[in-house]
Amino acid sequence: IVLENADQTVSIQGMIKVDSRHIGQPADIIVVVSYQSIEPEPIAAMIMLGEASAPLWDGDLGHLIPFKRVDNLPESYLLKIYEGTFGGLAGKVQIYFGYRLDNGVIVYNANEVISILLK
């Protein structure tokens, strides 16, 4: 996706296709956003989206915070990730999302990352 105007309002959603073995189980929904600026100095950050915060992520899977809790995973889950603007940012945004079962198993969209180029 190329977004020519980072001040325009966008709605970002993703579809989680739940592994058939995990349907009905409780899980934390996990969202991680990678941002790389273009100018003036390149900046790169990985940010976890939580229910009330968006801290930087250190890359340790054990440190991921939940975006939301689901009591019973359905066959597919429509995830509303973000609605708003990017406030004039320029750069590349990649959004990774998935779920973590209570036993620690993490399933995410490695092959279907949402990529946005902000101009």
Side-chain angles (χ1 to χ4, degrees):
I1 299 170
V2 176
L3 190 58
E4 296 288 342
N5 179 359
D7 287 325
Q8 76 184 53
T9 300
V10 297
S11 179
I12 300 172
Q13 300 179 38
M15 181 64 71
I16 297 175
K17 295 175 185 167
V18 175
D19 184 303
S20 62
R21 296 168 295 177
H22 303 154
I23 294 171
Q25 293 187 44
D28 290 327
I29 302 300
I30 304 293
V31 179
V32 175
V33 178
S34 168
Y35 171 71
Q36 290 182 311
S37 67
I38 298 172
E39 296 179 18
E41 286 186 39
I43 297 170
M46 297 286 281
I47 301 161
M48 301 177 286
L49 298 185
E51 291 185 47
S53 64
L56 291 175
W57 182 45
D58 61 8
D60 185 328
L61 293 175
H63 295 163
L64 288 169
I65 63 170
F67 179 72
K68 158 181 268 193
R69 179 75 175 167
V70 176
D71 292 328
N72 291 311
L73 281 172
E75 186 175 317
S76 60
Y77 183 83
L78 179 62
L79 177 61
K80 295 178 182 181
I81 299 169
Y82 178 74
E83 188 162 332
T85 71
F86 285 98
L89 289 176
K92 184 177 182 181
V93 173
Q94 291 185 299
I95 303 171
Y96 303 86
F97 56 92
Y99 59 90
R100 177 180 52 211
L101 299 176
D102 289 348
N103 66 4
V105 169
I106 295 175
V107 177
Y108 73 102
N109 64 324
N111 297 324
E112 297 180 19
V113 175
I114 297 173
S115 292
I116 304 167
L117 181 59
L118 306 170
K119 290 190 169 186

